[in-house]
Amino acid sequence: MGAAVGSTAGSTAGSGPASAEQVERIFEELVLKHHVTGAQLSLYRDGTLTRCAAGVSSVRTNTPVTVDTAFPYGSVTKFFTAELVMQFVSDGDLDLDEPLSGLLPDLKRATNPELGTATVRQLLSHTAGLADSIEYPDMRGPSYRRFAAVCGETPNLFPPGLAFSYSNTGYCLLGSVVEAVSGMDWWTAVDSCLLRPLSIEPAFLHDPRPRTDRPAGSRARVLAEGHAVRAGDEHAEPVDHMTALSLAAAGGLAGSATDLVTAARLHLDDRNTFPQRELLPEEAVHQMRESVPDAEPFGLADAWGLGLMCHRSGEEAWFGHDGAVGGATCNLRIHPGRNLALAVTTNSTAGPKLWEDLVGRLRAAGLDLGHYSLPAPDAPETADLGDHLGTYANGDLHLMVVTDAEGDLYLTREDYSDYRLTIHADDLFVAQDREHDALPIVGRFVRKHPGGPVALLQYGGRALQRL
């Protein structure tokens, strides 16, 4: 395992608890403890940049991870898409509250009229009532127009503005919005309007553009492979990232932990020291982290803004985003007032355990990172749990709650592993993957009214309707 630590030129030592050496030592220990294949940590604090790299980018090649290795960001891609959208809002090319039907004319003829009434603000905040994902044959070329047409034929989960439900579909529709207002596909827009001006060399899981259409100087970055660690086994197996081309604006970006911290510097109070601050005006920065009323992101965060989740720690608020994609994980935390941004990338399904442990260790060292804590369920219920059985759907995602011959409950998905399910007081549940070394899923069932039938299943910020 190799590690690298460095500071930005001309900067002074960061103030406050948890020195750079402590952060590096804790990070290295936890990468080994959790058998993470490869990982990066980048910490910007009051002018000082600390960068760490550990492990290998692939067990096939044993290529060491460097501070510049590109890791899949998964859903942290949404942070960049939101910054891109807010650039167009700041330039007056886009109105946050304009209905989609005015931006995407094809939606005026859609069989789902509710979609056309949703706004850009609702897409950014996951309150447009859209399914998490929609499966259809991959796009031919880098156009999101076909994706928008498919969305127009898909029913909403609920009317726009009613509630929160995390949606990759909403961010792919933002790719359509970017295409409509800029005349560029999402890949070219995020590349030329945001990444390159930040001096970030773009990396995508899929880039459908012909090389002749890419900006001058483009080069392919080494991308870390995904890996799975099974329960009780220290050895990692390579796995595919499994992200379709159509999900690019929601989860198709890759880069280093330092690239993430660079983009996050636009959101810190010392942004006046950042040469690229004009890319995102201060008003847009504040809009992104302003909590949306009536949005309860159960299972993900304490509140949600326009592309940023909010974690509250006492009276303080931390912002950021988390992501995961086939065998890779990513976490970003931002504290504007402390001028602090921290990012961690991994190429392992053990990444979430590393992150959970890292948060606790850094807090013990005096760095109180904002972190959402799920409710801790009491002992499992022993009453009749039959009213929870059935199928729950969110777009093309279908989960089944079933029982076996011994009466044990399972949360299952076709072609995926079964999760052992226990139900607790207040209809909270815990689902544990029996095959992979992963954190348990904590969610809840929601009833139509107290004592009434179960209507929804919620986990990870997603709402699934009972069929």
Side-chain angles (χ1 to χ4, degrees):
M1 181 179 72
V5 179
S7 298
T8 53
S11 65
T12 58
S15 60
S19 67
E21 292 76 15
Q22 283 180 291
V23 172
E24 176 192 6
R25 185 174 63 253
I26 291 170
F27 171 72
E28 288 186 332
E29 289 176 4
L30 295 181
V31 169
L32 287 173
K33 173 184 175 181
H34 294 289
H35 310 293
V36 173
T37 309
Q40 299 167 325
L41 179 148
S42 187
L43 171 65
Y44 174 88
R45 180 169 50 183
D46 282 334
T48 295
L49 179 65
T50 300
R51 304 189 297 171
C52 309
V56 297
S57 62
S58 170
V59 295
R60 303 177 203 267
T61 64
N62 283 323
T63 303
V65 172
T66 72
V67 294
D68 296 315
T69 302
F71 284 71
Y73 286 156
S75 286
V76 182
T77 300
K78 296 178 178 68
F79 168 60
F80 289 88
T81 295
E83 286 191 326
L84 177 65
V85 168
M86 293 307 294
Q87 284 184 312
F88 292 115
V89 171
S90 300
D91 290 341
D93 297 322
L94 195 55
D95 186 332
L96 283 172
D97 297 309
E98 182 176 356
L100 291 183
S101 59
L103 295 165
L104 307 173
D106 288 350
L107 294 184
K108 293 179 179 178
R109 300 183 294 274
T111 57
N112 173 15
E114 286 185 323
L115 181 59
T117 69
T119 65
V120 174
R121 186 188 304 275
Q122 291 166 344
L123 294 181
L124 286 168
S125 60
H126 300 284
T127 56
L130 302 179
D132 177 30
S133 61
I134 296 173
E135 296 180 6
Y136 75 106
D138 283 351
M139 294 178 299
R140 297 177 181 176
S143 172
Y144 264 118
R145 183 171 181 177
R146 184 180 173 207
F147 184 90
V150 173
C151 290
E153 308 305 313
T154 305
N156 271 39
L157 294 175
F158 43 76
L162 183 65
F164 181 99
S165 186
Y166 189 87
S167 174
N168 287 296
T169 299
Y171 270 74
C172 295
L173 276 172
L174 287 172
S176 301
V177 170
V178 166
E179 196 172 80
V181 300
S182 70
M184 297 180 281
D185 58 73
W186 174 83
W187 290 264
T188 301
V190 75
D191 186 337
S192 58
C193 298
L194 185 61
L195 299 180
R196 291 191 183 278
L198 286 171
S199 299
I200 296 173
E201 182 67 36
F204 302 100
L205 296 186
H206 306 284
D207 190 345
R209 299 171 297 169
R211 291 196 174 275
T212 54
D213 292 348
R214 303 178 192 180
S218 296
R219 60 180 175 84
R221 293 179 66 177
V222 175
L223 184 64
E225 281 192 281
H227 298 85
V229 178
R230 300 187 182 278
D233 190 351
E234 299 178 6
H235 301 288
E237 301 175 3
V239 295
D240 190 88
H241 292 312
M242 297 184 297
T243 299
L245 176 65
S246 58
L247 286 174
L253 193 60
S256 68
T258 300
D259 293 337
L260 275 174
V261 165
T262 298
R265 286 195 60 190
L266 292 166
H267 299 263
L268 303 182
D269 284 359
D270 71 353
R271 52 179 272 125
N272 288 333
T273 67
F274 190 45
Q276 293 94 335
R277 62 185 178 275
E278 297 304 325
L279 285 172
L280 197 63
E282 194 164 358
E283 180 182 359
V285 168
H286 287 288
Q287 285 178 304
M288 285 185 66
R289 62 185 189 229
E290 184 176 347
S291 297
V292 175
D294 302 323
E296 184 189 1
F298 177 83
L300 282 179
D302 293 306
W304 211 278
L306 305 184
L308 283 172
M309 59 173 63
C310 174
H311 302 294
R312 297 195 175 99
S313 179
E315 295 183 357
E316 293 194 315
W318 287 76
F319 303 92
H321 214 294
D322 298 323
V325 63
T329 66
C330 182
N331 304 91
L332 172 66
R333 292 295 180 270
I334 303 166
H335 194 296
R338 294 189 193 177
N339 296 315
L340 187 154
L342 181 142
V344 172
T345 60
T346 84
N347 61 347
S348 171
T349 55
K353 285 194 169 183
L354 165 66
W355 174 251
E356 291 283 332
D357 212 348
L358 180 69
V359 169
R361 291 285 300 276
L362 291 181
R363 283 178 166 177
L367 181 55
D368 188 19
L369 284 177
H371 186 56
Y372 175 72
S373 296
L374 283 161
D378 296 326
E381 295 278 0
T382 57
D384 180 16
L385 304 174
D387 59 345
H388 298 85
L389 300 177
T391 300
Y392 299 80
N394 177 314
D396 291 314
L397 171 63
H398 286 69
L399 297 178
M400 288 76 74
V401 177
V402 299
T403 185
D404 65 7
E406 286 73 36
D408 293 326
L409 289 176
Y410 291 89
L411 184 67
T412 71
R413 181 179 178 183
E414 189 176 359
D415 299 327
Y416 284 78
S417 300
D418 291 341
Y419 284 67
R420 177 70 181 272
L421 186 70
T422 56
I423 299 178
H424 303 255
D426 301 320
D427 281 318
L428 292 175
F429 71 78
V430 176
Q432 180 66 60
D433 186 347
R434 299 178 299 162
E435 182 177 359
H436 296 97
D437 186 21
L439 291 171
I441 295 171
V442 178
R444 67 182 179 185
F445 294 95
V446 180
R447 298 177 183 273
K448 289 185 177 181
H449 52 80
V454 171
L456 296 173
L457 180 155
Q458 288 181 311
Y459 82 99
R462 294 158 176 84
L464 289 84
Q465 295 175 321
R466 191 176 190 183
L467 300 183

